[in-house]
């Protein structure tokens, strides 16, 4: 009889091949662990408790605390949701796919009649009944032909389409009750593990994400092992709705998107444009202080430039169609880097010039499908806070150190000091030599370790021309947003035949570093709105104070205060309408304005203002100069004009 060896922290034992995961769990772990286990890790694989083990390895129990547990729970919840939908709506529904996601799960259905919020309540109720029945999840291995016949009998043509593309002779299915689904697993032992779940919303989704295919109905849900965790998650979702940058952007009159202009194209309203200018001014100042030089480049270029750069080979699907100008093909730029390379080539370069640090707030254009567009977070035209450093090989690590330091400084200035860092390595499709990739990856890794920064390896997620560091900032709700990136590139200098004269008199190839700190300025702006819920710190607030008179008797004094504060550099508005003071204060609070300056007869006589903060607290009365000094002190260095 063939034996396998299973090992954990406490023991190593031999078992007959074919022992189930549940049997191995019983023999290798305590009753306390066994009762809480929902799956078993064997080597690199996670298997159901009913799985027959054919190979040995190190084993670990998957319990609700395990990192993999939520995905198993949520994937199982998706299956239960699909079963509930079929039980309620019967032959009216075609089932497609239903994966777990970072925050929950979804399942896509093809149904002629739209689901309603009332339907979600019915589905959720039926899911609870299925969970209460404690139905086992059973894995089945079938010949592909048998599986085709099974789903053909059920009339589930989406499953047939998926099966037709599978070349393996056998496929795995999962069954609970009368519901069966094509699936690799693993799943929970039984439906009884589902005790805390909620269906969240409805959405549309094209089959396989292709807008040429049929539009399906997607039901989103989430699940946790604990009802308290579920409640906390639902509370976060409610808070996220309140902070939605699309909602607040409209209420605070920061930006708009209009069909007449085009989807994914942002119109910056006066307040949004002012706030954007504040961000850009800070960015330019810090880059000047860190020895960068500012560039400005066109929005289009000859298409052949993108052929040379490789973007047409690797990035064409994300580029807009070419335009014909006097018989020559031009292209809206998706990147700024080829323009910076063109500037590099305007002079013969010497080793004494390096490093060259060039930066640009350059607007680029990338094609996104309409269904993928999302406010400021995913657009078709956006400004990148781009920079490119051309350096010698002996400069590489030091330049990455400098970039990381500036990067973290800028993020901190905007209120972000919690982030995840990833080192993304060589993808399957890449250009350049393995030696260059290894050198680049080592330099990025050394910089992170030298600065004592925790990071994770993101295998295969580098760009086609080089490895990169990605920094995902976390907002006040703990959500991660991709913003900063640092990429080492040996490829473009090679493609454009860049060179410099070394101290030996010979020609050498420079190294190019691509770098963005905020990434897309539009996305960063959207993250700022949601992070602060529109109540921006004083240095960022487009309006720092609003003057509110009590009666018409203070009109002239209100205007004097307004003029004096404008001259002092305070971003101020005046509300001198013939309205009740409480009404004016309420409006200013809804607009998230940091300070309200109340002027009545007493203030006019004394040459002062009464200062009220947006949280309702009152400060002592002060002169106009004293308030201007307060604003200057609170805004600090980053708010300097």
């Amino acid at each position: 009889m063939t034996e396998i060896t299973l090992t954990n922290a406490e023991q190593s034992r031999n078992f007959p091949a074919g022992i189930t995961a549940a049997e191995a769990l019983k023999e290798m772990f305590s009753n306390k662990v066994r009762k809480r286990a929902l799956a078993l890790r064997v080597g690199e694989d996670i298997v159901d408790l009913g799985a027959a083990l054919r190979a040995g390895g190190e084993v670990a129990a998957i319990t609700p605390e395990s990192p993999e547990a939520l995905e198993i729970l949520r994937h199982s919840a998706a299956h239960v949701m699909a079963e509930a939908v079929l039980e309620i709506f019967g032959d009216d529904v075609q089932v497609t796919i239903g994966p777990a996601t970072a925050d929950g799960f979804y399942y896509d259905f093809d149904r002629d009649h739209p689901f309603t919020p009332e339907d979600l309540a019915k589905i959720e109720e039926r899911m609870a009944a299925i969970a209460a029945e404690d139905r086992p999840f059973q894995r089945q291995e079938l010949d592909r032909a048998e599986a085709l016949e099974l789903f053909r009998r059920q009339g589930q043509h989406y499953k047939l389409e998926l099966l037709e593309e599978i070349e393996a002779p056998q496929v795995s299915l999962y069954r609970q009750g009368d519901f069966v689904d094509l699936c690799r697993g693993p799943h929970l032992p039984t439906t009884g593990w589902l005790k805390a779940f909620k269906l969240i919303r409805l959405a549309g989704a094209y089959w396989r994400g292709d807008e040429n295919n049929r539009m399906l109905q997607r039901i989103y849900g989430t699940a946790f092992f604990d009802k308290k965790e579920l409640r906390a998650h639902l509370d976060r979702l409610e808070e996220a709705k309140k902070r939605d940058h699309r909602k607040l952007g409209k209420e605070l009159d920061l930006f708009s998107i209009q069909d007449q202009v085009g989807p994914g194209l942002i119109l910056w309203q006066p307040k949004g444009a002012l706030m954007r200018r504040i961000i850009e001014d800070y960015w330019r100042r810090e880059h000047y202080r860190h020895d960068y030089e500012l560039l400005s480049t066109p929005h289009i270029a000859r298409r052949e430039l993108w052929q040379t750069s490789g973007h047409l080979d690797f990035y064409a699907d994300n580029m807009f169609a070419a335009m014909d100008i006097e018989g020559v093909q031009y292209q809206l730029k998706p990147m700024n880097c080829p323009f910076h390379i063109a500037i590099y080539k305007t002079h013969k370069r010497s080793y004494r010039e390096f490093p060259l640090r060039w930066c640009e707030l350059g607007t680029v254009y990338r094609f996104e499908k309409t269904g993928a567009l999302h406010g400021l977070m995913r657009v078709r035209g956006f400004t990148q806070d781009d920079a490119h450093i051309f350096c010698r090989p002996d400069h590489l690590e030091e330049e990455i150190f400098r970039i990381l330091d500036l990067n973290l400084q800028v993020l901190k200035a905007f209120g972000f000091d919690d982030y995840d860092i990833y080192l993304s390595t060589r993808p399957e499709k890449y250009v350049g030599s393995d030696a260059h990739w290894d050198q680049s990856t080592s330099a990025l890794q050394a910089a992170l370790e030298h600065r004592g920064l925790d990071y994770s390896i993101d295998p295969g997620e580098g760009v086609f021309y080089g490895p990169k560091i990605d920094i995902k900032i976390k907002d006040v709700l703990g959500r991660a947003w991709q913003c900063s990136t640092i990429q080492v590139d040996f490829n473009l200098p090679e493609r454009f035949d860049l060179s410099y004269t070394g101290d030996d008199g010979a020609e050498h190839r420079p190294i190019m570093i691509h770098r963005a700190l905020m990434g897309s300025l539009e996305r960063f702006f959207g993250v700022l709105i949601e992070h602060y819920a529109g109540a921006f710190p004083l240095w960022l607030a487009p309006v720092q104070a609003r003057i509110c008179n009590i009666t018409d008797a203070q009109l002239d004094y209100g205007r004097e205060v307004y003029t004096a504060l404008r001259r002092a550099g305070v971003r101020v508005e005046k509300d001198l309408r013939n309205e009740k003071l409480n009404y004016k204060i309420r409006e200013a609070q809804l607009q998230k304005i940091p300070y309200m300056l109340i002027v009545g007869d007493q203030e006019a006589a004394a040459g002062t203002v009464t200062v009220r903060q947006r949280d309702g607290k009152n400060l002592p009365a002060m002169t106009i100069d004293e308030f201007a000094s307060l604003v200057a002190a609170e805004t600090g260095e980053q708010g300097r004009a």
Side-chain angles (χ1 to χ4, degrees):
M1 180 183 294
T2 305
E3 289 191 332
I4 59 173
T5 302
L6 302 179
T7 304
N8 64 15
E10 298 175 354
Q11 58 183 308
S12 179
R13 293 180 57 182
N14 293 333
F15 295 98
I19 184 175
T20 67
E23 291 169 339
L25 187 72
K26 183 178 180 180
E27 296 293 331
M28 299 285 290
F29 296 90
S30 68
N31 284 338
K32 183 178 179 181
V33 172
R34 180 171 57 82
K35 288 177 180 178
R36 303 189 72 251
L38 55 110
L40 187 71
R41 177 186 291 280
V42 184
E44 296 298 317
D45 299 323
I46 298 177
V47 299
D48 305 292
L49 295 185
L53 305 185
R54 304 297 179 186
E58 187 167 345
V59 294
I62 303 298
T63 65
E65 294 76 27
S66 303
E68 308 88 351
L70 270 180
E71 182 177 355
I72 296 172
L73 177 79
R74 289 166 175 172
H75 191 183
S76 300
H79 280 226
V80 172
M81 178 172 71
E83 180 181 10
V85 168
L86 284 176
E87 287 187 3
I88 295 170
F89 300 100
D91 297 335
D92 187 30
V93 180
Q94 288 278 321
V95 295
T96 63
I97 57 172
T101 66
D103 295 320
F105 60 89
Y106 70 80
Y107 213 111
D108 289 343
F109 301 96
D110 188 352
R111 181 172 180 251
D112 290 336
H113 303 289
F115 290 115
T116 66
E118 292 74 23
D119 290 334
L120 291 192
K122 293 176 186 176
I123 297 166
E124 196 173 292
E125 184 179 351
R126 185 62 197 134
M127 288 176 67
I130 294 170
E133 291 174 18
D134 202 26
R135 300 176 182 180
F137 284 92
Q138 298 173 313
R139 181 184 175 94
Q140 291 179 281
E141 301 281 346
L142 290 184
D143 289 340
R144 182 170 164 275
E146 291 180 88
L148 283 167
E149 178 58 28
L150 170 65
F151 287 111
R152 195 174 288 118
R153 288 198 308 269
Q154 292 184 353
Q156 293 291 339
H157 61 77
Y158 288 97
K159 298 298 180 184
L160 294 174
E161 182 179 330
L162 293 170
L163 274 167
E164 290 289 354
E165 297 174 2
I166 297 175
E167 296 179 359
Q170 278 200 323
V171 295
S172 61
L173 293 84
Y174 277 83
R175 182 185 296 275
Q176 82 267 2
D178 294 329
F179 176 74
V180 63
D181 205 354
L182 181 66
C183 183
R184 287 192 294 265
H187 280 283
L188 297 170
T190 70
T191 61
W193 284 75
L194 285 173
K195 298 182 184 301
F197 59 88
K198 181 71 177 175
L199 300 188
I200 304 294
R201 62 187 175 93
L202 294 161
Y206 292 108
W207 170 235
R208 294 188 158 180
D210 187 340
E211 60 189 11
N212 295 313
N213 289 336
R214 183 170 170 83
M215 174 67 80
L216 306 175
Q217 297 185 66
R218 176 170 294 179
I219 301 178
Y220 282 98
T222 192
F224 289 86
F225 287 99
D226 182 87
K227 290 185 178 180
K228 186 183 294 184
E229 290 178 344
L230 174 63
R231 184 69 261 162
H233 178 76
L234 296 177
D235 288 344
R236 285 194 297 272
L237 290 181
E238 284 302 311
E239 183 62 28
K241 286 181 184 178
K242 296 175 187 176
R243 293 170 177 263
D244 191 318
H245 74 281
R246 296 167 297 178
K247 170 180 172 287
L248 289 173
K250 182 177 181 181
E251 291 175 358
L252 302 180
D253 202 22
L254 298 173
F255 71 92
S256 63
I257 302 169
Q258 298 179 22
D259 287 341
Q260 188 176 24
V261 175
L265 302 172
I266 306 302
L267 298 173
W268 294 95
Q269 311 288 95
K271 289 179 183 177
L274 175 56
M275 186 173 165
R276 178 175 167 145
R277 194 264 296 167
I278 295 164
I279 294 170
E280 292 179 357
D281 285 351
Y282 167 77
W283 184 91
R284 291 187 182 95
R285 280 198 311 273
E286 289 307 309
H287 280 74
Y288 181 80
R289 288 177 55 195
H290 286 79
D291 204 22
Y292 283 78
E293 295 176 293
L294 192 67
L295 303 182
S296 185
T297 60
H299 291 246
I300 64 171
R302 290 176 183 265
R303 191 168 170 84
E304 64 190 45
L305 180 72
W306 310 105
Q307 188 70 61
T308 303
S309 70
H311 286 97
L312 286 177
D313 295 328
F314 292 90
Y315 209 73
D317 289 345
N318 297 94
M319 298 169 68
F320 281 97
M323 61 188 86
D324 186 284
I325 301 176
E326 297 179 337
V328 178
Q329 296 283 295
Y330 280 79
Q331 185 76 49
L332 276 170
K333 66 174 178 179
M335 307 279 188
N336 298 302
C337 32
F339 293 93
H340 294 194
I341 289 171
I343 292 173
Y344 180 97
K345 296 187 74 171
T346 57
H347 301 293
K348 187 170 178 60
R349 305 291 175 178
S350 164
Y351 75 98
R352 297 179 184 273
E353 298 177 62
F354 290 117
L356 295 170
R357 303 186 188 99
W358 292 341
C359 63
E360 177 182 14
L361 290 165
T363 301
V364 298
Y365 303 89
R366 298 182 188 173
F367 173 70
E368 297 279 0
K369 292 181 178 179
T370 303
L373 299 173
H374 181 76
L376 293 174
M377 304 304 191
R378 191 175 286 267
V379 294
R380 287 177 172 167
F382 61 92
T383 300
Q384 221 171 11
D385 73 314
D386 234 341
H388 296 95
I389 294 94
F390 298 91
C391 64
R392 306 192 312 250
D394 56 304
H395 290 147
L396 183 57
E397 281 194 27
E398 179 60 30
E399 287 306 305
I400 297 170
F401 294 159
R402 292 173 61 104
I403 294 167
L404 279 171
D405 290 346
L406 177 59
N407 203 154
L408 300 184
Q409 173 196 320
V410 168
L411 293 179
K412 186 174 182 180
F414 287 101
F416 300 109
D417 51 16
D418 188 11
Y419 35 74
D420 292 325
I421 301 177
Y422 297 89
L423 175 60
S424 301
T425 58
R426 184 169 56 224
E428 288 186 15
K429 191 176 181 182
Y430 67 94
V431 294
S433 70
D434 289 351
H436 280 160
W437 273 87
D438 292 342
Q439 180 184 355
S440 306
T441 305
S442 296
L444 293 172
Q445 193 163 11
L448 290 169
E449 291 174 355
H450 185 79
R451 287 294 185 259
L453 297 170
D454 293 330
Y455 66 93
S456 301
I457 300 292
D458 202 358
E461 290 302 312
V463 285
F464 69 87
Y465 52 75
K468 60 176 179 168
I469 292 171
D470 286 324
I471 300 178
K472 296 183 179 180
I473 60 177
K474 291 187 178 179
D475 65 16
V476 71
L477 297 182
R479 298 172 299 178
W481 302 93
Q482 172 62 57
C483 290
S484 311
T485 186
I486 305 167
Q487 304 167 359
V488 178
D489 184 1
F490 289 89
N491 174 57
L492 285 182
E494 187 79 29
R495 281 179 171 267
F496 283 95
D497 194 25
L498 302 188
S499 65
Y500 65 91
T501 304
D503 58 359
D504 58 359
E507 293 301 299
H508 299 270
R509 191 80 72 200
I511 297 172
M512 186 177 182
I513 305 174
H514 304 250
R515 186 239 68 187
L517 307 183
M518 296 182 288
S520 157
L521 197 59
E522 280 71 10
R523 181 192 294 143
F524 193 76
F525 198 106
V527 174
L528 282 172
I529 294 173
E530 299 200 2
H531 181 61
Y532 288 109
F536 304 111
L538 192 66
W539 80 275
L540 274 176
V543 179
Q544 295 171 320
R546 178 180 286 181
I547 301 161
C548 302
N549 62 319
I550 296 177
T551 69
D552 285 350
Q554 300 92 41
L555 287 176
D556 289 342
Y557 181 64
R559 295 186 185 106
E560 287 177 26
V561 174
Y562 173 79
T563 301
L565 288 176
R566 294 273 289 196
R567 287 174 178 168
V570 178
R571 298 188 291 274
V572 63
E573 288 182 344
K574 56 183 184 294
D575 184 352
L576 305 179
R577 296 174 296 167
N578 185 20
E579 296 284 355
K580 290 182 178 180
L581 180 62
N582 285 342
Y583 177 78
K584 294 181 182 182
I585 289 173
R586 177 61 179 158
E587 279 207 342
Q589 287 176 322
L590 290 174
Q591 287 294 301
K592 317 282 188 177
I593 296 171
Y595 290 109
M596 286 137 273
L597 307 181
I598 314 302
V599 293
D601 288 339
Q602 186 175 341
E603 288 81 9
T608 61
V609 292
T610 294
V611 181
R612 182 185 177 92
Q613 296 175 312
R614 64 184 160 205
D615 62 4
K617 295 178 182 177
N618 289 319
L619 299 181
M622 59 186 74
T623 66
I624 298 169
D625 287 344
E626 286 172 338
F627 179 74
S629 296
L630 181 152
V631 170
E634 189 175 336
T635 54
E637 179 68 17
Q638 67 259 41
R640 181 169 53 84

